Amino acid sequence: MRDVLEQLEERRQDARMGGGADRIAKQHAKGKLTARERIELLLDEGSFEEYDMFVAHRCTDFGMEQQKPAGDGVVTGWGTINGRMTYVFSQDFTVFGGSLSETHAQKICKIMDMALQNGAPVIGLNDSGGARIQEGVASLAGYADVFLRNVKASGVVPQISLIMGPCAGGAVYSPAMTDFIFMVEDSSYMFVTGPDVVKTVTNEIVTAEELGGARTHTTKSSVADGSFENDVIALEQMRRFFDYLPLNARDGAPVRPFHDDANRIENSLDTLIPDNPNQPYDMREVILKISDESDFFEVKANFAKNMLTGFIRLEGRTVGVVANQPMVLAGCLDIDSARKAARFVRFCDAFDIPLLTLVDVPGFLPGVSQEYNGIITHGAKLLFAFAQATVPMVTVITRKAYGGAYDVMASKHIGADVNYAWPTSEIAVMGAKGATEILYRSELGDPDKIAARTKEYEDRFANPFVAAERGFIDEVIMPHSTRRRVCRAFAALRNKRVEMPYKKHDNIPL
């Protein structure tokens, strides 16, 4: 019996070594952790239960039968993060470059099936050279099997991808179908075709970092939701991020103990809005002062900066925040910000996370480029997402809410439950100056008359009371009381139920 136990432990030790000490040293030399080290940092100590440690590939071509490392380049199983269950797979670059084989894919599919069955999130730590060429179509079939499960799991359990090395070719489409993608700076990249192919086909010379690095995907393409300096920080932040998410669509937004008074008054908000309506202020300050312990996990922080999206807690409960940012493009809605916010709203609605919308929007960004690139369709995505959402929705208008952008930003008319406005808010078709020039075009030659007309328009419409008179605004509130009013509104909406008409699925304007 002792011999059998020793043999088991030896086999386990061999499996834990992955591609061997030399390749592990090379991984460390690149500033990267191994697959198992990553799991140890991500999950609670001692909580990881590994599956399929001894699985090996079945390929016999190109001399592959001579190399059959246990685990076949991916570590899979489940564990807990702060006591909450999650399934995880971590690709091992020290084994065949983390390339995906038939059995590698089967291991990933197994834990994804179990995640769906047991209602727990899936976290993928990606570090792979792509499909294993030696296996040909079998590896491609393996990718397709994973893709199908990504689609089936969408909206059922949260799916998070952390790109910690190369992710190229068909491999990119699995992370692309997950809910959030995070990257590690200077050591991870994603692209469909690499720099060499790009040079051959289009004659463009570009580095892997420029083509698909963390900076590219967090600032230009919006493929990634965030990036971190190194593996350790990335995994620590994933633990923090995980705490905001429900375990599944039926679980509801998580609740944790909080130590912040729900009735806290923030007097500084009374003086936040500048007297000059064209002067910006930082909407992030409003978010931090409303949230529990000023904790805000921002998503896509470096893309479409005129829109802020992310998670806060109110009375210990996760809330998704969508907010215009007057510091960038005056908070205008454009193609990028509409896509960014629509994607975020749909995630929150899918997983029953309430939505707080902070509005300071002068309208849609005008321009030939915006129209040619489909601002109509992209703006409709955000409108559709808000109108479709059935979660509790609270909206606070802090300053400008003009034109169609007022409607789109979670107005009462498209389904928001509680709509507040600060006394500084202006709800109108457009700004006073533009409206006056249209209404009194014949008087444009007389500056004094135009100034008087502008003042008249401002007095009549540049305030929240016209909308409040019609019931479009539920209450005009003092800025310093915003946290208390928002917390009470969400508390009143906790049992909200909405019945939607039968449909197979909607047809969002993609």
Side-chain angles (χ1 to χ4, degrees), residues 318-330:
T318 299
V319 173
V321 176
V322 176
N324 305 114
Q325 172 58 292
M327 298 287 286
V328 181
L329 294 176

Side-chain angles (χ1 to χ4, degrees), residues 479-499:
H480 66 250
S481 69
T482 303
R483 173 174 164 83
R484 180 175 69 87
R485 302 300 288 263
V486 167
C487 284
R488 287 177 60 83
F490 279 120
L493 293 167
R494 279 176 196 156
N495 294 320
K496 176 183 176 181
R497 294 290 180 271
V498 176
E499 292 293 328

Side-chain angles (χ1 to χ4, degrees), residues 127-178:
D127 189 359
S128 168
R132 194 170 299 171
I133 297 171
Q134 295 92 329
E135 293 203 13
V137 72
S139 65
L140 299 180
Y143 270 128
D145 290 338
V146 175
F147 298 160
L148 180 62
R149 283 161 177 80
N150 287 133
V151 175
K152 286 183 175 179
S154 182
V156 182
V157 295
Q159 300 177 81
I160 305 168
S161 296
L162 184 52
I163 315 300
M164 310 190 79
C167 185
V172 298
Y173 288 108
S174 177
M177 288 187 286
T178 61

Side-chain angles (χ1 to χ4, degrees), residues 162-164 182-188 214 228-231 234:
L162 184 52
I163 315 300
M164 310 190 79
F182 297 96
M183 299 182 72
V184 178
E185 294 162 12
D186 301 320
S187 65
S188 68
F228 306 103
E229 188 177 339
N230 55 49
D231 283 13

Side-chain angles (χ1 to χ4, degrees), residues 104-114 142 145-146 149:
H104 182 127
Q106 287 171 354
K107 288 182 65 173
I108 295 173
C109 289
K110 179 191 280 190
I111 62 127
M112 293 184 75
D113 289 339
M114 295 179 78
D145 290 338
V146 175
R149 283 161 177 80

Side-chain angles (χ1 to χ4, degrees), residues 24-245:
I24 289 174
K26 288 179 180 177
Q27 184 85 339
H28 288 160
K30 296 175 185 174
K32 296 164 65 177
L33 299 176
T34 66
R36 293 179 184 279
E37 288 169 343
R38 288 165 175 166
I39 288 176
E40 286 173 11
L41 273 179
L42 176 66
L43 300 179
D44 296 338
E45 186 176 355
S47 73
F48 183 54
E49 293 287 339
E50 185 172 351
Y51 294 139
D52 296 331
M53 176 183 272
F54 303 120
V55 164
H57 70 78
R58 307 184 187 101
C59 182
T60 57
D61 296 317
F62 305 101
M64 289 291 287
E65 68 277 5
Q66 305 299 322
Q67 306 176 66
K68 288 200 168 188
D72 200 28
V74 64
V75 182
T76 60
W78 69 273
T80 59
I81 296 177
N82 294 326
R84 301 170 72 229
M85 184 178 183
T86 184
Y87 286 85
V88 62
F89 69 86
S90 181
Q91 293 179 315
D92 188 350
F93 196 78
T94 69
V95 177
F96 301 127
S99 59
L100 185 135
S101 68
E102 181 183 16
T103 48
H104 182 127
Q106 287 171 354
K107 288 182 65 173
I108 295 173
C109 289
K110 179 191 280 190
I111 62 127
M112 293 184 75
D113 289 339
M114 295 179 78
L116 273 173
Q117 175 183 295
N118 299 311
V122 178
I123 301 176
L125 309 180
N126 294 263
D127 189 359
S128 168
R132 194 170 299 171
I133 297 171
Q134 295 92 329
E135 293 203 13
V137 72
S139 65
L140 299 180
Y143 270 128
D145 290 338
V146 175
F147 298 160
L148 180 62
R149 283 161 177 80
N150 287 133
V151 175
K152 286 183 175 179
S154 182
V156 182
V157 295
Q159 300 177 81
I160 305 168
S161 296
L162 184 52
I163 315 300
M164 310 190 79
C167 185
V172 298
Y173 288 108
S174 177
M177 288 187 286
T178 61
D179 298 303
F180 295 97
I181 300 174
F182 297 96
M183 299 182 72
V184 178
E185 294 162 12
D186 301 320
S187 65
S188 68
Y189 50 84
M190 300 175 70
F191 39 63
V192 176
T193 52
D196 294 339
V197 176
V198 169
K199 183 180 179 182
T200 301
V201 176
T202 69
N203 215 26
E204 295 170 292
I205 299 173
V206 64
T207 65
E209 184 64 31
E210 292 168 339
L211 185 62
R215 179 170 296 182
T216 296
H217 287 313
T218 54
T219 62
K220 296 179 182 178
S221 72
S222 82
V223 167
D225 294 281
S227 64
F228 306 103
E229 188 177 339
N230 55 49
D231 283 13
V232 175
I233 293 173
L235 294 162
E236 286 177 345
Q237 288 300 307
M238 283 306 94
R239 288 180 60 86
R240 177 184 166 219
F241 178 62
F242 185 84
D243 279 352
Y244 285 98
L245 306 182

Side-chain angles (χ1 to χ4, degrees), residues 394-406:
V394 176
T395 300
V396 180
I397 301 173
T398 60
R399 189 165 64 175
K400 298 173 183 175
Y402 291 163
Y406 154 70

